[in-house]
Amino acid sequence: APIGVFDSGVGGLTVTREIMRQLPDENMVYFGDTARVPYGSKSRDNIIRYSRQIIRFLKTRDVKAIVIACNTASALALDVVKKETDIPVMGVIVPGARAAVQATSNKKVGVIGTEATIRSKMYSRTIREMDPDVEVIGKPCPLFVPLVEEGFAKHRISEEVIDYYLASMKESGIDTMILGCTHYPLLRSKIMKYLGEEIRLVNPAYETAMELKVLLKELGIQNVGKDIDPDKQEESCANGSYEFYVSDAADKFKHFAN
Ligand code: DGN
């Protein structure tokens, strides 16, 4: 059975890419809610409603587990939908928070994400449950999403927007920052250049794929390929079969996905 992954749109492909890399033998069904993106400016009630609908759809594809790749939906809907669903559902917040707690030495962590993610304080609550001594500084960066979607990730326009949003973060004394939105890993090199290499950037997608691997193994439902050389796994190509569904604008999705 495949793993179901969903997101508000194209951004969750950064999580899908990590799962393909780290679990090359798993099959996947992806759903991108391109008709209703962005989730970052929607209410909690709507994000829960959308998540329920998507989970219902993914279950028709017989998925064995579901990953909510969207930070906004993970922050606002995971705790509700997890209780209602009879297969494992995981989000990206706990893995991202865990990685940040492990990475920080001075116990000052920055989190950037959508308005809804930052307002929910889910990252800071989760981090402080893991280590109450960590100080968390959040900053919503809503313009990053359209910048990436419109193809400006490598353009100098994004440098100005990064400066606008992250100037105070740069001065705050953090030593670790979570890229708490699916699109932000695509701005990683510019953000790193701006903040300086001494600030560690956490991509929750990477940690989520690692935790998914552990979860599937614990439950005994992982797909293990035949004769895989573990040393080659890093560079091994994904062997699984993948299905992608969107609620609108399939051509634009395809272009972005490529
Ligand atoms: N996928 C969303 C997130 O990770 O928060 C970003 C896109 C959006 O819905 N605003």
Side-chain angles (χ1 to χ4, degrees), residues 7-9 11-12 37-41 69-73 114 117 145 149 180-183:
D7 179 52
S8 56
V37 70
Y39 283 9
S41 49
C70 179
N71 287 261
T72 307
T114 64
T117 299
V145 169
E149 292 202 355
C181 173
T182 48
H183 291 60

Side-chain angles (χ1 to χ4, degrees), residues 147-214:
L147 268 180
V148 168
E149 292 202 355
E150 299 304 325
F152 289 101
K154 303 262 184 278
H155 194 280
R156 65 189 157 75
I157 285 180
S158 31
E159 286 160 26
E160 204 151 312
V161 182
I162 286 170
D163 178 48
Y164 176 80
Y165 283 135
L166 300 185
S168 56
M169 199 61 99
K170 196 175 177 172
E171 302 307 318
S172 65
I174 56 162
D175 71 351
T176 303
M177 190 177 80
I178 301 176
L179 303 173
C181 173
T182 48
H183 291 60
Y184 300 179
L186 299 166
L187 290 167
R188 186 191 181 105
S189 57
K190 282 200 185 298
I191 292 174
M192 187 148 76
K193 202 168 145 206
Y194 179 77
L195 292 178
E197 298 212 353
E198 57 287 355
I199 294 184
R200 190 149 168 223
L201 298 181
V202 171
N203 174 7
Y206 179 82
E207 313 293 334
T208 300
M210 292 214 305
E211 292 206 7
L212 174 65
K213 198 170 178 174
V214 172

